[in-house]
Amino acid sequence: MRYAQGGGLTDAGRAARERIRLQAVERFEGGEKNREIAAVLRVSERSVERWRRAWRERGETGVQSKGSPGRPRLGPAQIARLERELERGPLAHGWADQRWTLARVKALIGRLFHVSYTVEGTWRLLKRHGWSWQQPARRAIERDDAAVEPVEEGGLAAGKNTAAACNGWIVFEDEAGQSMTPPRARTWGRVGHTPVIRVRGRGSGRVSMAGMACYKPGERSRLIYRIREYRGRKDEPKGFGWRDFRDLIVRARIQLGGPIVLVWDNVRLHLTKPLREFIKANTDWLTVFQLPTYAPDLNPQEGIWSLVKRDIGNLAAADLSQITRAVKRRLKQIQHRQDMVDGCLAGTGLIMDG
């Protein structure tokens, strides 16, 4: 630590001490013992014990230093303005990408208020006001938010009203696929050594999935799905055709035992002439609504696929059959977990009420 002539810590010393405290909090959350933390951070065990007690009583803020009395602070009006500017995004402030880093937020505070914060102080400021380090969701630039807004604000809007009028089910349909290369999932590894997951470099094939998340007030939510393998053989269909969707809709009607309000996206296969004729011929029990373009976050079936692919992350499959078995096993588990199916609907922000 560096000390000033008067005996107190310099700015660099205070910053170093704050870093040590933040590292201690991370290790508290990881369940490490006081002796281990003291050895790694090169501080006394008594200090670690004091920090842990403060952490248990007041959380992360209890461990943080109170700072020097003359340290500049932002007032409520300045904080409100800062949050508005942060919500505009980095692009609006001249940065090339859309990442808010601590260094950028620190620079923005300096531009707006002519106040100097350290990187550690910026981190504490953001945490104190409800901001956190997150992995952002992606949203297509081509998405028409004006078309999405009525769906989000009005719940299921016309589809919900139609289902209520005919005492039917609202059914969200979507498709997904999985090749021999599994999705990458996070795993623990030694610092400085990136973990390597070995997967099959050869072998073709794909598992196609079509699923329906089905909801009706007062009834248990359902999941109906169909799976098809493609191994690259001659005359073998690569995915689902319009007949497969027709049969899946008929199967859903039989299993649900009532009228269906089908909600799906407007991919080309959903708009084929045979399917349109099938829908027109069965208007007594089938009504179809199209989701807005580039709005997968409004479809709970997308959440189902996310749960499936999360479960097969880093899977070193020997052949396509192993991928198929893993997908079927996970879908079967979700079928018996109503809370998961309901959670996928809640994740869209859409409302299903009586």
Side-chain angles (χ1 to χ4, degrees):
M1 296 288 184
R2 294 183 179 180
Y3 289 86
Q5 292 181 353
L9 286 173
T10 64
D11 290 342
R14 278 192 293 270
R17 183 175 62 181
E18 289 302 310
R19 283 195 294 269
I20 291 175
R21 289 172 181 262
L22 294 176
Q23 292 174 20
V25 170
E26 293 176 355
R27 294 179 182 274
F28 292 157
E29 295 173 345
E32 295 186 26
K33 297 181 179 179
N34 290 349
R35 182 179 303 175
E36 298 172 351
I37 298 174
V40 172
L41 300 183
R42 297 181 181 180
V43 296
S44 68
E45 193 171 342
R46 180 176 297 178
S47 296
V48 176
E49 183 179 358
R50 186 174 66 254
W51 295 342
R52 187 186 289 273
R53 188 183 309 114
W55 174 67
R56 286 173 176 168
E57 294 175 356
R58 299 186 299 278
E60 196 171 271
T61 56
V63 184
Q64 297 170 4
S65 172
K66 303 303 180 183
S68 59
R71 187 173 184 179
R73 299 285 182 178
L74 297 181
Q78 292 173 313
I79 292 296
R81 182 186 174 192
L82 175 62
E83 291 186 327
R84 289 196 300 270
E85 296 300 327
L86 289 174
E87 289 171 354
R88 292 179 60 198
L91 291 176
H93 294 280
W95 281 285
D97 57 44
Q98 303 179 63
R99 294 177 303 146
W100 273 127
T101 64
L102 290 176
R104 290 180 178 182
V105 177
K106 174 180 177 293
L108 181 63
I109 293 173
R111 291 180 192 174
L112 296 175
F113 311 112
H114 306 288
V115 173
S116 178
Y117 267 75
T118 64
V119 172
E120 291 80 5
T122 304
W123 180 87
R124 289 194 298 273
L125 177 70
L126 293 176
K127 291 284 285 186
R128 189 161 57 246
H129 292 278
W131 293 70
S132 63
W133 180 253
Q134 304 175 34
Q135 181 173 346
R138 292 184 176 179
R139 180 166 292 177
I141 294 176
E142 299 88 346
R143 173 182 170 125
D144 184 2
D145 289 328
V148 172
E149 186 176 354
V151 179
E152 292 179 328
E153 289 185 350
L156 299 181
K160 184 174 67 173
N161 295 334
T162 302
C166 66
N167 193 29
W169 291 74
I170 296 185
V171 177
F172 294 88
E173 194 278 340
D174 193 52
E175 307 89 53
Q178 180 58 54
S179 65
M180 284 288 292
T181 304
R184 285 184 293 181
R186 293 188 177 186
T187 181
W188 286 99
R190 188 180 296 278
V191 175
H193 297 272
T194 302
V196 176
I197 304 298
R198 300 193 179 278
V199 297
R200 294 282 176 179
R202 295 186 301 170
S204 61
R206 182 176 179 84
V207 178
S208 296
M209 303 171 279
M212 291 179 165
C214 312
Y215 304 93
K216 182 180 179 181
E219 297 284 348
R220 184 180 185 275
S221 303
R222 311 283 185 84
L223 172 62
I224 301 172
Y225 62 87
R226 183 174 181 180
I227 293 176
R228 165 171 286 173
E229 289 184 350
Y230 170 68
R231 298 179 178 273
R233 296 168 182 164
K234 186 178 180 180
D235 298 328
E236 184 181 22
K238 292 184 178 181
F240 295 106
W242 73 268
R243 292 183 179 86
D244 299 302
F245 290 115
R246 177 200 62 190
D247 295 344
L248 188 61
I249 296 171
V250 172
R251 176 182 163 193
R253 186 204 179 191
I254 295 172
Q255 291 191 15
L256 298 175
I260 291 176
V261 175
L262 179 63
V263 182
W264 58 8
D265 55 28
N266 53 5
V267 298
R268 184 178 302 175
L269 195 55
H270 294 167
L271 305 177
T272 56
K273 183 178 180 180
L275 263 183
R276 286 189 282 111
E277 292 176 348
F278 167 76
I279 294 169
K280 185 177 181 180
N282 294 278
T283 54
D284 56 325
W285 60 269
L286 178 61
T287 306
V288 177
F289 286 88
Q290 304 287 341
L291 284 170
T293 305
Y294 295 103
D297 50 312
L298 296 180
N299 193 335
Q301 186 60 41
E302 289 279 356
I304 301 291
W305 300 142
S306 178
L307 292 172
V308 171
K309 296 200 173 188
R310 186 187 309 168
D311 193 63
I312 62 174
N314 300 344
L315 175 65
D319 52 34
L320 190 64
S321 297
Q322 187 174 352
I323 295 284
T324 304
R325 289 194 299 271
V327 168
K328 286 183 176 180
R329 181 176 63 251
R330 185 54 173 158
L331 285 170
K332 181 65 69 175
Q333 291 172 347
I334 298 173
Q335 265 189 330
H336 295 282
R337 291 285 303 275
Q338 182 182 355
D339 58 327
M340 285 189 172
V341 183
D342 290 340
C344 291
L345 177 65
T348 66
L350 300 176
I351 303 170
M352 176 71 70
D353 53 33

